[in-house]
Amino acid sequence: MRAVLLGPPGAGKGTQAVRLVERYNVPQISTGDIFRKNIKEGTELGRKAQEYMNSGQLVPDELVVDLVKDRLLKDDCKNGYLLDGFPRTIFQAEQLDKFLEEQGQQLDAVINFEVGYDTLIARLTGRRVCKSCGASYHVVNMPPKTEGLCDRCGGELEQRKDDTKETAVNRISVYEESTAPLIDYYSKTGALKNFDGETDPDQLLEEIVSVIGE
Ligand code: AP5
Ligand code: MG
């Protein structure tokens, strides 16, 4: 299964990706996670991406496209993958199409999550992530069993630098301008499947599976 998860910041792409990875046994490729890992490790890519991410801007296309293409050529992507946070611009989508054509492949689905503005802001500002394993929580919607600690590994929870109200607002407007046009782009190819992202995450998984198939 080759699929793209599309939707504004806080739509629940990462939350569904965890469930879909388990169901379909394909890797999640999150460009945001790749950049955050590079920032943590202090690589040159991380250094270049950091400023854009912290202010809620997109990282320039030239730093993203080759990175994703290289990742998609790895062995674990042979049976498919779940792209989370890529493509995010029309240019990135066109580059992905070119790549797929070269590989003789196509996307099975573009899974688009629709979520209202106020919900997005509440989700982003309330999100907490584990410093050690990256698991994601929400102070109200999905609180950990012990406040401040990860259920999975006991690691400390922290707030992402770009999850302040100001940066969240900025990220949503960048989404509207640069990424929302992909909805139209993919509706023309017939790959687009829309979902109500305000549904309970486990129920949403079942809805997705019923639309895109087992
Ligand atoms: P990225 O990490 O991709 O962030 P994003 O798109 O802003 O999306 P988020 O991760 O914030 O939200 P999500 O949809 O995954 O929601 P989640 O499941 O966590 O990108 C970060 C930055 O990297 C970008 O700003 C950019 O600078 C750069 N970047 C990345 N890719 C790029 C690219 N291709 N090109 C250029 N730049 C790029 O859920 C959010 C919260 O809501 C959680 O707390 C969760 O518990 C809760 N929640 C989720 N679903 C539900 C539900 N159904 N019900 C109740 N609560 C829910
Ligand atoms: Mg995410």
Side-chain angles (χ1 to χ4, degrees):
M1 202 252 321
R2 294 185 189 87
V4 166
L5 299 179
L6 193 62
K13 303 182 293 294
T15 301
Q16 276 313 311
V18 172
R19 290 164 171 77
L20 290 164
V21 157
E22 217 173 282
R23 186 66 71 105
Y24 290 97
N25 201 21
V26 292
Q28 169 195 11
I29 296 166
S30 157
T31 39
D33 286 351
I34 294 172
F35 289 133
R36 278 185 290 277
K37 185 166 181 276
N38 275 272
I39 291 173
K40 212 170 165 184
E41 291 170 353
T43 67
E44 198 187 335
L45 176 67
R47 203 177 41 71
K48 285 182 182 160
Q50 191 162 26
E51 215 176 295
Y52 298 101
M53 290 178 76
N54 288 349
S55 63
Q57 298 302 314
L58 293 182
V59 173
D61 284 337
E62 60 268 27
L63 293 181
V64 187
V65 174
D66 288 343
L67 175 97
V68 173
K69 284 201 237 169
D70 286 348
R71 180 65 189 86
L72 297 184
L73 290 171
K74 296 254 169 0
D75 264 4
D76 64 338
C77 292
K78 282 217 167 89
N79 296 322
Y81 43 78
L82 208 53
L83 283 165
D84 166 5
F86 180 94
R88 242 180 165 95
T89 61
I90 295 284
F91 178 78
Q92 291 179 14
E94 288 169 349
Q95 294 300 307
L96 176 63
D97 277 349
K98 253 193 211 166
F99 172 84
L100 288 165
E101 205 182 311
E102 282 161 18
Q103 301 297 313
Q105 299 171 344
Q106 58 183 36
L107 288 175
D108 297 308
V110 174
I111 300 165
N112 181 43
F113 300 116
E114 295 166 325
V115 177
Y117 185 85
D118 291 347
T119 305
L120 293 176
I121 296 288
R123 283 186 182 180
L124 292 169
T125 54
R127 175 168 53 191
R128 299 293 181 269
V129 288
C130 176
K131 269 185 181 179
S132 310
C133 74
S136 182
Y137 299 87
H138 189 279
V139 288
V140 178
N141 304 343
M142 288 173 219
K145 290 194 181 99
T146 311
E147 200 188 324
L149 295 180
C150 179
D151 292 349
R152 264 192 1 203
C153 74
E156 205 184 316
L157 302 187
E158 65 178 355
Q159 188 168 28
R160 256 170 59 175
K161 274 215 172 70
D162 59 351
D163 277 346
T164 60
K165 172 96 189 277
E166 193 193 350
T167 310
V169 167
N170 204 11
R171 285 160 62 203
I172 295 170
S173 47
V174 167
Y175 162 83
E176 290 296 345
E177 192 174 318
S178 304
T179 309
L182 293 181
I183 296 173
D184 192 40
Y185 183 92
Y186 284 120
S187 69
K188 287 183 182 142
T189 71
L192 190 80
K193 311 286 175 206
N194 289 314
F195 295 91
D196 177 359
E198 303 202 29
T199 311
D200 166 80
D202 292 328
Q203 191 189 329
L204 184 52
L205 171 70
E206 298 312 323
E207 286 177 16
I208 295 171
V209 172
S210 75
V211 171
I212 68 176
E214 285 290 345

